[in-house]
Amino acid sequence: MNVELVYKIILIALYSLFSIIRIEYYRRARKTGYKTVIEEKRRYAIWLSVFICYEVFTFFDYILFPETLAWGALPLPQWSRLTGACLGILTLLWFVWIHQTLGNNLSVRIRIKDSQHLVTNGPYRWVRHPMYTTFYLLHVAAFLLTANWFIGVTWMAGLTAIILLRVSREEAMLLAKFGNAYSTYAENTGRFLPRIPWLSGKLGNYF
């Protein structure tokens, strides 16, 4: 059996399911109709589009023309690549939970809708931006499955840059919309991970 082919099939399945889940829940949210009251500037959305195009390009390059990225291959043990497959499956399940919890509040671009409410249940009970956490976990899974440091480094760096551009603006919009309710919520939750009591200072506030 070609082990590399198996990992490629798993990777394709994970990203295909990821896309299907994303598109379906976004379709449901769009179907309800809404009026945007606050929205991000277009230039930030363009950067997101550029990053997505880069990921799609390198993804298909790895799948169809593996020899072009073979120089970035790492000799990872089989257990780590199997760990990547398991992590990817768990991430997809969490991804569904997040979308189910968001419901009609879901939006690809950063925007506040007229009917939007502050979501504090489900995974949002502990983390303000669990969606971004799943993106990181999915990228870790992709790195382990591809065993390619170039994909791992560039995808993770690009994702981090996009999130750094988005998260502060997103929180500013939420604060403008929900005021003290969001401030109180932010004080009791972590941005990407559940709040750790002993981790204080700026690092604790960021994560």
Side-chain angles (χ1 to χ4, degrees):
M1 179 182 292
N2 188 330
V3 177
E4 290 301 322
L5 179 60
V6 172
Y7 290 134
K8 285 184 179 181
I9 292 173
I10 294 173
L11 187 64
I12 292 170
L14 285 176
Y15 272 82
S16 296
L17 289 172
F18 168 86
S19 300
I20 291 170
I21 292 167
R22 189 74 164 161
I23 292 170
E24 173 57 23
Y25 278 94
Y26 183 59
R27 184 193 64 80
R28 294 182 190 181
R30 284 288 299 270
K31 191 176 180 180
T32 61
Y34 57 83
K35 179 182 178 182
T36 299
V37 294
I38 309 176
E39 188 168 7
E40 67 176 334
K41 295 181 179 179
R42 186 174 297 275
R43 68 174 180 270
Y44 295 113
I46 292 174
W47 281 116
L48 176 60
S49 298
V50 170
F51 173 61
I52 292 174
C53 288
Y54 170 76
E55 278 208 357
V56 171
F57 174 79
T58 50
F59 178 87
F60 281 104
D61 190 33
Y62 169 79
I63 297 296
L64 300 176
F65 309 102
E67 64 279 0
T68 61
L69 294 175
W71 51 269
L74 291 173
L76 296 182
Q78 293 300 322
W79 64 263
S80 68
R81 304 186 75 176
L82 290 173
T83 299
C86 294
L87 179 61
I89 294 171
L90 292 175
T91 299
L92 283 176
L93 293 176
W94 193 18
F95 199 56
V96 171
W97 187 25
I98 291 169
H99 281 74
Q100 192 66 33
T101 302
L102 275 178
N104 295 332
N105 290 296
L106 177 66
S107 176
V108 175
R109 294 184 63 177
I110 301 177
R111 58 162 57 97
I112 300 295
K113 306 173 184 178
D114 56 346
S115 60
Q116 188 161 331
H117 64 276
L118 183 60
V119 179
T120 59
N121 60 311
Y124 290 86
R125 186 179 308 170
W126 306 282
V127 183
R128 301 196 296 280
H129 304 285
M131 186 80 74
Y132 294 156
T133 307
T134 61
F135 291 159
Y136 271 115
L137 292 176
L138 189 66
H139 280 61
V140 171
F143 164 66
L144 294 175
L145 283 167
T146 61
N148 189 292
W149 70 263
F150 178 75
I151 288 178
V153 170
T154 59
W155 284 20
M156 195 66 74
L159 175 63
T160 299
I162 292 298
I163 289 178
L164 287 175
L165 284 173
R166 289 172 66 94
V167 69
S168 58
R169 292 181 293 109
E170 185 174 346
E171 294 201 332
M173 288 183 185
L174 290 167
L175 184 61
K177 170 69 174 179
F178 300 109
N180 290 334
Y182 187 77
S183 296
T184 302
Y185 169 64
E187 289 175 0
N188 295 287
T189 54
R191 268 185 169 173
F192 309 120
L193 300 172
R195 185 173 289 279
I196 303 174
W198 53 265
L199 188 61
S200 59
K202 291 184 178 180
L203 186 62
N205 291 334
Y206 188 79
F207 289 103

